[in-house]
Amino acid sequence: MRMRRPVTLLALALVAAFVVAAVPSMSPALADEPKRSVAVMFALDRALDGSMAPVVLAASRGLFGAEGVTVTTTVAKGSPDAIARVASGEADMALADINELIRYRDTQGSQPVKAVFVLFNRAPYAIIARKSRGINALADLDGKTLGVAEGDLSIRLWPAVVKQNHLKPETIKLSRVGAAVREPILSAGQVDAVSGFSYLSAINLRDRGVPAGDLAVLRFADYGCEAYGHAVIVNPGFAAHQPAAVKGVLRALTAGLQLAIKDPEGAVADVLSRMDDGARELELERLQTVLADNVLTADVRRDGIGGIDPARFERALDQIAEDRKFVHRRPQPADIFDDSFLPPVDSRLVN
């Protein structure tokens, strides 16, 4: 039987030298490997329309991809459903009404879901009325019938608006109606006004043939309502484990919103490419209305897109309390909004 020769120290040294020499030559190849994209499930609170152009542009123009995230959108049945999906982890992030988030957080067993980016600096809550029924201002609702759809979010701030404007709520009849017939019954003259979102109900009514000159759009924000509107919310577990992905989504949305501001027509073209039966003029008007009334406010022009003013948020909480007495302790702005994921302010300033 032949004996194996013992391994010499010289041989070991040569092997070690070869391994060390090989490592540097491998590192450039490893550095060139693309980073794995993070999958993000993003819920919209309703079917796609022109107001959601920033989300569409972030996807269609490759902004999400450039940030290392692959975003899949899904459609929820309103803000409560979108919040529930994020709370359960069914969705990682969502677009939802921030005031509904405040109410959710005040319920027993709620998850610590937070908003991380405000899209609508002013809530779109409004009363949409027919001037031909004698309504040109809130005070003209005295003795009139106001249609309120099931699940309508704007009516929840109505008590604060009533108080602030010294209205007499007992003289205004509230008529509960189905959401699907809100605009039709106003068009048919069965009620004098309806509550809703200014960029939805008002524009849908014009699309139904109601002359623009006959519509009075009484925005709550013009009557002292301090509430913010739709915001991006995030699952707390996802935020903790994928903070870079959350920041990437917000950078892409900020860039998408900047593109929509600069070129609304181009933005709507991208939106229509993803809608089954969208009308260009209708969705362009919707986007332009949102930008003018809810996004490009004095606060945004001064401080930039996406953030909040804590003092104003406190006042908004006071107004929410006119309709809902907080079951648990009154929340602080930091309980609801986390600004640590926002892009740098210079990228959020409106040019």
Side-chain angles (χ1 to χ4, degrees):
M1 182 180 292
R2 296 179 61 185
M3 300 291 294
R4 294 179 182 174
R5 293 183 179 180
V7 179
T8 65
L9 292 176
L10 177 60
L12 288 174
L14 290 173
V15 171
F18 174 79
V19 172
V20 171
V23 170
S25 66
M26 290 161 52
S27 57
L30 292 174
D32 291 340
E33 288 185 5
K35 293 182 180 180
R36 181 176 297 179
S37 181
V38 177
V40 180
M41 181 62 71
F42 193 103
L44 303 174
D45 70 331
R46 63 186 180 282
L48 185 66
D49 63 39
S51 70
M52 301 173 188
V55 181
V56 173
L57 289 173
S60 64
R61 305 291 176 90
L63 304 176
F64 284 138
E67 295 293 347
V69 292
T70 300
V71 176
T72 301
T73 57
T74 183
V75 178
K77 299 176 181 178
S79 283
D81 183 32
I83 294 168
R85 294 188 187 198
V86 170
S88 69
E90 182 180 344
D92 303 307
M93 304 177 74
L95 191 62
D97 185 285
I98 196 170
N99 305 296
E100 194 61 22
L101 175 65
I102 293 168
R103 298 182 187 100
Y104 163 77
R105 288 292 305 275
D106 191 46
T107 60
Q108 187 68 34
S110 65
Q111 298 299 309
V113 177
K114 290 188 179 184
V116 290
F117 181 92
V118 171
L119 180 60
F120 291 177
N121 186 263
R122 293 203 306 183
Y125 308 148
I127 300 297
I128 299 92
R130 301 286 295 273
K131 293 180 180 178
S132 56
R133 305 297 283 260
I135 303 174
N136 292 277
L138 279 183
D140 299 330
L141 289 171
D142 188 11
K144 304 295 185 181
T145 299
L146 175 63
V148 180
E150 181 181 356
D152 176 53
L153 300 181
S154 58
I155 202 65
R156 298 189 177 189
L157 267 294
W158 177 240
V161 174
V162 165
K163 180 178 180 180
Q164 193 145 9
N165 292 275
H166 309 290
L167 302 179
K168 299 176 181 178
E170 66 276 7
T171 68
I172 303 171
K173 179 183 177 182
L174 300 185
S175 177
R176 298 291 174 176
V177 301
V181 299
R182 170 171 41 196
E183 286 81 21
I185 65 169
L186 180 59
S187 178
Q190 295 175 258
V191 294
D192 303 301
V194 295
S195 60
F197 286 2
S198 58
Y199 69 92
L200 291 177
S201 292
I203 293 174
N204 291 344
L205 280 162
R206 288 197 285 273
D207 188 49
R208 293 184 63 87
V210 178
D214 190 32
L215 286 176
V217 182
L218 311 176
R219 302 175 188 84
F220 286 12
D222 295 333
Y223 287 90
C225 181
E226 299 266 28
Y228 291 89
H230 276 63
V232 176
I233 64 175
V234 64
N235 175 274
F238 185 78
H241 291 97
Q242 297 287 357
V246 176
K247 291 180 180 180
V249 169
L250 298 190
R251 283 194 297 268
L253 289 177
T254 298
L257 180 53
Q258 294 280 21
L259 289 175
I261 292 169
K262 292 178 181 178
D263 182 17
E265 293 190 5
V268 166
D270 282 35
V271 172
L272 292 175
S273 70
R274 299 183 178 223
M275 294 179 67
D276 292 331
D277 55 356
R280 180 185 174 281
E281 290 185 7
L282 185 70
E283 297 310 324
L284 179 58
E285 182 180 5
R286 200 184 310 281
L287 175 57
Q288 290 174 327
T289 298
V290 161
L291 292 176
D293 296 344
N294 310 115
V295 175
L296 296 176
T297 66
D299 287 357
V300 166
R301 293 188 182 281
R302 182 187 66 241
D303 302 323
I305 297 163
I308 65 167
D309 172 10
R312 176 185 158 189
F313 201 90
E314 290 279 7
R315 296 193 296 272
L317 288 169
D318 290 338
Q319 294 180 344
I320 290 173
E322 291 293 333
D323 173 68
R324 177 196 179 95
K325 302 304 178 185
F326 291 110
V327 176
H328 305 290
R329 72 175 180 86
R330 184 182 186 279
Q332 300 298 310
D335 296 328
I336 305 298
F337 187 80
D338 183 352
D339 65 0
S340 66
F341 297 96
L342 287 174
V345 68
D346 59 346
S347 69
R348 295 187 287 115
L349 294 175
V350 179
N351 299 323

